[in-house]
């Protein structure tokens, strides 16, 4: 089953219920990003403009809500990477890595709660690597990245870059640029 299908299976069929589902996802994404994984479900419902019962009807547990947020985010990340075939390989890879850094930074509270036992863990991991590996391979074939570096190597470094505490956005950006410089083939 594709990630899109997994997400759609969770989404209600009625239009008004779908709007509530999407509003809850948006509100929860924002709330978790601002306040961390411990934000109250009542606060999420308030931000979404729905009752707590509506929130729990759609997401019976905090983990179910976090899985849906993560699924939606990975679908967006994979779609972004898939749309870069007509761009030169370095630009495509760099753009996807920038998107991946934003994804990891904003989803850190959610990712920290989900475990390998989550039903979305393996399919989302496979989808992320399924888009990252071809981007890396294309850049390697074009001589844009150093030999001996693979997607997994760089993604693990990105985990460290996104998990760190920085003085400001500029320092976080410099750390990311150091990673890019380190993987780029010297010309």
């Amino acid at each position: 089953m594709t990630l899109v299908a997994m997400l759609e299976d969770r989404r209600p069929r009625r239009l008004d219920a779908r709007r509530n589902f999407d509003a809850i996802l948006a509100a929860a994404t924002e709330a978790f990003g601002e306040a961390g994984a411990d934000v109250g479900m009542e606060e999420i419902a308030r931000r979404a403009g729905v009752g707590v019962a509506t929130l729990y009807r759609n997401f019976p547990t905090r983990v179910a809500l976090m899985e849906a947020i993560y699924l939606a985010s990975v679908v967006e990340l994979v779609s972004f990477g898939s749309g870069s075939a007509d761009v030169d390989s370095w630009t495509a890879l760099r753009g996807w890595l920038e998107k991946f850094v934003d994804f990891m930074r904003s989803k850190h509270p959610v990712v920290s709660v989900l475990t390998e036992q989550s039903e979305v863990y393996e399919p989302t991991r496979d989808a992320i690597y399924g888009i990252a590996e071809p981007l890396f391979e294309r850049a390697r074939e074009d001589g844009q990245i150093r030999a001996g570096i693979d997607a997994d190597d760089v993604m693990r470094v990105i985990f460290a870059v996104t998990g760190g505490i920085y003085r400001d956005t500029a320092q976080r950006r410099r750390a990311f640029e150091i990673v890019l410089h380190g993987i780029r083939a010297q010309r």
Side-chain angles (χ1 to χ4, degrees):
M1 175 181 285
T2 68
L3 296 183
V4 173
M6 287 177 75
L7 185 59
E8 284 304 311
D9 277 355
R10 293 166 183 242
R11 211 175 233 125
R13 302 292 175 240
R14 282 188 2 247
L15 186 58
D16 61 331
R18 288 175 74 87
R19 279 193 301 266
N20 287 340
F21 181 95
D22 293 340
I24 293 166
L25 276 184
T29 299
E30 180 181 289
F32 289 140
E34 290 173 5
D38 294 330
V39 68
M41 298 295 266
E42 296 79 15
E43 172 63 15
I44 293 169
R46 185 190 67 70
R47 287 181 183 216
V50 301
V52 174
T54 298
L55 184 147
Y56 281 110
R57 191 172 27 259
N58 283 284
F59 307 100
T61 66
R62 176 180 299 277
V63 170
L65 177 56
M66 290 181 167
E67 285 177 342
I69 289 169
Y70 193 67
L71 266 173
S73 299
V74 173
V75 165
E76 182 182 324
L77 180 66
V78 169
S79 176
F80 181 86
S82 298
S84 61
D86 59 342
V87 178
D88 78 84
S89 62
W90 176 252
T91 302
L93 179 60
R94 181 188 174 102
W96 187 82
L97 285 171
E98 287 173 347
K99 187 82 164 171
F100 183 68
V101 165
D102 288 343
F103 164 80
M104 287 304 301
R105 186 178 47 77
S106 65
K107 299 305 175 262
H108 190 322
V110 172
V111 174
S112 67
V113 172
L114 297 181
T115 67
E116 291 183 20
Q117 283 69 47
S118 168
E119 69 181 41
V120 303
Y121 177 81
E122 196 166 321
T124 53
R125 181 192 178 286
D126 292 348
I128 291 170
Y129 278 85
I131 199 65
E133 288 168 348
L135 288 167
F136 273 85
E137 184 59 34
R138 191 172 133 215
R140 187 176 8 275
E141 287 173 0
D142 288 350
Q144 295 293 324
I145 61 173
R146 293 179 21 212
I149 296 175
D150 64 20
D152 190 51
D153 295 335
V154 176
M155 290 168 67
R156 290 182 189 277
V157 172
I158 300 259
F159 296 148
V161 168
T162 57
I165 299 172
Y166 296 91
R167 287 188 308 264
D168 54 30
T169 303
Q171 186 182 39
R172 180 185 311 274
R173 184 76 191 157
R174 285 191 307 276
F176 177 63
E177 291 296 329
I178 291 167
V179 172
L180 291 176
H181 181 74
I183 67 171
R184 186 92 194 249
Q186 301 304 311
R187 297 178 174 254

